[in-house]
Amino acid sequence: KNQVEQSPQSLIILEGKNCTLQCNYTVSPFSNLRWYKQDTGRGPVSLTIMTFSENTKSNGRYTATLDADTKQSSLHITASQLSDSASYICVVSAAWGNNRLAFGKGNQVVVIP
Amino acid sequence: GAGVSQSPSNKVTEKGKDVELRCDPISGHTALYWYRQSLGQGLEFLIYFQGNSAPDKSGLPSDRFSAERTGGSVSTLTIQRTQQEDSAVYLCASSLAGAPKLFFGSGTQLSVL
């Protein structure tokens, strides 16, 4: 079973609307959780990184939340733009290092005009 | 360069041939990672280099896969006797030592016919 589960697998939203992506994880011990954006044909780009003590972190129109007790995170996209169409990947790092990252399969977001 | 550079961007090869994929990390980044991304799957860790330490090869799927990093900079991932199941995007990332933020290249799309 994957240690990082994301939902929904895919969604289509209208330009200007908001959406929320979910990430549940079982990785333990926990060091940090990251959200990446991956455009088609490109490598992932870091959006946010949150440690155990952080509940929320924003990067422009992207806001990530973390509940380390329930092992859940969300990524909220506000006032979506066409350029937000991408895969959003949740990545969880265990305490023992960067070479033991658990990747979710991604949320595929399509923004339509 | 300003970012992680990978070449070639696309590679089509015949089953049984050997391929070499190249990664130029960001200057000054001592940590370098190789991942494989198959369609609809999360990133799969392959190998990790950190400075002069012995690489973590625990993610390599078989002995047909190998990687080296010369002079602490450029890395080459070699796949011998390619199989159709090797078809995937191979992503390289680099980071500062101990830093959680990874910087990814655009990947090499490998297609084995």
Side-chain angles (χ1 to χ4, degrees):
Chain A
K1 182 170 166 44
N2 198 8
Q3 292 184 295
V4 179
E5 297 284 351
Q6 295 187 240
S7 63
Q9 182 178 357
S10 62
L11 76 162
I12 300 172
I13 58 174
L14 291 174
E15 186 179 12
K17 298 296 186 181
N18 305 334
C19 71
T20 300
L21 313 176
Q22 299 292 340
C23 173
N24 296 341
Y25 63 93
T26 59
V27 174
S28 181
F30 172 84
S31 175
N32 58 76
L33 184 146
R34 315 143 189 222
W35 282 94
Y36 283 83
K37 177 187 179 189
Q38 185 175 22
D39 293 316
T40 301
R42 310 292 296 179
V45 174
S46 178
L47 293 177
T48 62
I49 301 174
M50 289 184 292
T51 60
F52 182 89
S53 60
E54 296 176 291
N55 300 118
T56 185
K57 182 164 282 188
S58 291
N59 179 356
R61 295 179 296 101
Y62 301 102
T63 299
T65 66
L66 173 64
D67 185 335
D69 291 330
T70 62
K71 298 186 176 182
Q72 295 179 325
S73 176
S74 67
L75 181 69
H76 187 76
I77 305 175
T78 303
S80 60
Q81 300 177 358
L82 297 179
S83 59
D84 293 330
S85 296
S87 178
Y88 293 84
I89 304 172
C90 177
V91 184
V92 182
S93 176
W96 54 80
N98 231 6
N99 53 327
R100 288 292 181 266
L101 301 178
F103 289 83
K105 295 182 179 181
N107 306 100
Q108 185 66 49
V109 174
V110 176
V111 181
I112 59 176
Chain B
V4 178
S5 177
Q6 291 188 247
S7 61
S9 56
N10 284 280
K11 177 71 176 179
V12 180
T13 189
E14 294 179 347
K15 177 182 174 181
K17 300 288 187 182
D18 297 351
V19 295
E20 282 190 355
L21 313 179
R22 177 187 170 102
C23 173
D24 278 283
I26 292 173
S27 178
H29 282 191
T30 57
L32 187 146
Y33 315 76
W34 282 99
Y35 294 94
R36 179 167 68 177
Q37 186 175 34
S38 301
L39 194 62
Q41 300 298 314
L43 273 69
E44 175 189 3
F45 168 75
L46 297 177
I47 188 169
Y48 162 65
F49 296 91
Q50 171 51 55
N52 295 322
S53 302
D56 177 353
K57 304 179 181 180
S58 61
L60 295 177
S62 77
D63 58 8
R64 295 187 295 105
F65 288 72
S66 63
E68 62 178 23
R69 188 178 185 190
T70 54
S73 181
V74 172
S75 177
T76 302
L77 177 69
T78 301
I79 308 173
Q80 295 178 311
R81 305 181 302 282
T82 52
Q83 303 295 313
Q84 288 182 332
E85 60 262 30
D86 298 334
S87 296
V89 175
Y90 290 82
L91 289 164
C92 174
S94 70
S95 73
L96 294 169
K101 189 170 183 177
L102 300 183
F103 294 81
F104 285 85
S106 293
T108 294
Q109 173 72 63
L110 176 65
S111 300
V112 182
L113 305 179

